[in-house]
Amino acid sequence: MAKNKLQQFAEMDTFKHVFHATYDVLKNGDYKLKGSWLNFFNNNNKIVAELGCGKGEYTVGLAQQNTHNNYIGIDIKGARMWRGATTVNNLKINNVAFIRTRIDFIEKIFAKNELDEIWITFPDPQKEKRRKRLTSPMFITRYQNVLKPNGIINLKTDSRLMYYYTLELAKTNNFEIIINTEDLYSSEYANEKLSIKTFYEQMFLKEGKKITYLKFRINDKPVIDTPISEEIIRGY
Ligand SMILES: C[S@@+](CC[C@H](N)C(=O)[O-])C[C@H]1O[C@@H](n2cnc3c(N)ncnc32)[C@H](O)[C@@H]1O
């Protein structure tokens, strides 16, 4: 029988690889594992975070493909996270953690240079709220404070708005663009890593939408917004 939310949350409380960083804890200071996530994993491997991981398909899929890296999925919605957290538990995967919290608090969760790479998969494009996009200057500045120098950000999305906005922002800030495709599955990049399909991606593919992918390297300069107007970005 399917578990209800309360049962899912109770089950997640028993998982050692699932953490809950509440506002009440974070309002008074940093999260207890900030700066010591490698102690949790008990190795010196890279740490890759997925922001807005939903059911955790990327976090789990990448972890299975790259057992030499550690993966941390972050989302505010515990019921979605339960799916990935349960898979990790059942398959005894030891290079994954999940944190239930708001991405907005990322600097309270990770120390400077603690992350090597970030994945953002099918984020809400925040049509009316440019500032709230997970690749806005406000968020990229936060990522600068937790990523290693020249850290990498991956954005996989069906949203043309999100894709073009991020591409223009990356160009404006002289971020090194490593991969840029407007149609991933017709491109040369549709490899094993990029072929992991999240819950949202499967829905968008059924609707016949093309999937875009951007991989870029940030720098340590102050992040500015692209001067290109929202009207133009929407019209691309
Ligand atoms: C459209 S869903 C995509 C989920 C998953 N990446 C996928 O592709 O199936 C966006 C996810 O981001 C999460 N999210 C959005 N804003 C967030 C925030 N500020 N902090 C934490 N999670 C957030 C939502 O809870 C949701 O699960």
Side-chain angles (χ1 to χ4, degrees):
M1 201 174 68
K3 291 194 164 76
N4 67 32
K5 266 192 195 182
L6 285 179
Q7 290 169 320
Q8 289 175 339
F9 291 161
E11 189 166 75
M12 283 207 296
D13 282 344
T14 69
F15 295 160
K16 291 200 166 51
H17 60 285
V18 179
F19 301 86
H20 191 183
T22 61
Y23 174 70
D24 274 352
V25 167
L26 297 180
K27 74 178 179 208
N28 295 319
D30 292 333
Y31 191 59
K32 57 186 177 184
L33 283 175
K34 176 175 173 174
S36 56
W37 283 100
L38 283 182
N39 291 346
F40 165 75
F41 289 111
N42 202 19
N43 60 41
N44 279 319
N45 299 341
K46 290 181 175 173
I47 303 182
V48 179
E50 186 192 3
L51 309 182
C53 67
K55 297 179 186 229
E57 293 90 341
Y58 250 89
T59 299
V60 175
L62 290 175
Q64 288 177 307
Q65 289 175 10
N66 307 283
T67 49
H68 52 282
N69 286 344
N70 303 308
Y71 290 87
I72 301 183
I74 301 176
D75 205 292
I76 192 63
K77 300 230 168 107
R80 288 184 184 169
M81 184 176 281
W82 173 82
R83 170 54 49 213
T86 301
T87 303
V88 168
N89 187 59
N90 292 346
L91 300 182
K92 300 192 175 15
I93 298 170
N94 61 10
N95 58 334
V96 170
F98 284 99
I99 312 171
R100 190 169 160 219
T101 196
R102 291 194 64 80
I103 298 156
D104 312 58
F105 301 136
I106 193 164
E107 293 154 291
K108 286 177 170 273
I109 308 281
F110 300 108
K112 200 159 180 70
N113 300 337
E114 198 161 18
L115 295 182
D116 290 86
E117 194 166 333
I118 284 176
W119 280 78
I120 304 172
T121 56
F122 301 90
D124 182 338
Q126 300 286 356
K127 280 194 184 132
E128 307 302 328
K129 298 177 200 145
R130 183 164 166 139
R131 207 169 148 265
K132 286 200 158 186
R133 290 180 193 147
L134 286 184
T135 53
S136 72
M138 178 177 78
F139 275 99
I140 302 264
T141 302
R142 291 169 174 159
Y143 308 154
Q144 283 176 325
N145 291 328
V146 294
L147 275 169
K148 296 217 167 82
N150 303 314
I152 285 175
I153 298 182
N154 302 269
L155 171 69
K156 200 178 174 195
T157 178
D158 63 300
S159 162
R160 311 315 264 185
L161 173 62
M162 192 70 194
Y163 165 75
Y164 281 116
Y165 172 71
T166 308
L167 181 61
E168 292 301 342
L169 186 109
K171 287 182 189 164
T172 303
N173 286 280
N174 292 317
F175 296 154
E176 179 196 347
I177 296 170
I178 303 167
I179 300 179
N180 169 16
T181 171
E182 281 184 54
D183 185 1
L184 175 61
Y185 295 115
S186 305
S187 77
E188 63 194 286
Y189 306 111
N191 54 25
E192 197 187 23
K193 190 185 275 191
L194 287 170
S195 297
I196 297 169
K197 294 189 180 59
T198 69
F199 176 75
Y200 275 84
E201 176 168 2
Q202 289 175 44
M203 285 192 329
F204 297 137
L205 285 171
K206 272 193 201 133
E207 291 169 18
K209 290 190 174 162
K210 290 207 166 61
I211 305 303
T212 70
Y213 173 62
L214 264 180
K215 176 175 186 172
F216 56 97
R217 198 185 298 281
I218 59 167
N219 54 38
D220 58 1
K221 302 202 170 68
V223 187
I224 49 171
D225 205 353
T226 171
I228 298 193
S229 77
E230 199 62 11
E231 221 170 44
I232 293 179
I233 288 173
R234 281 162 198 252
Y236 271 137

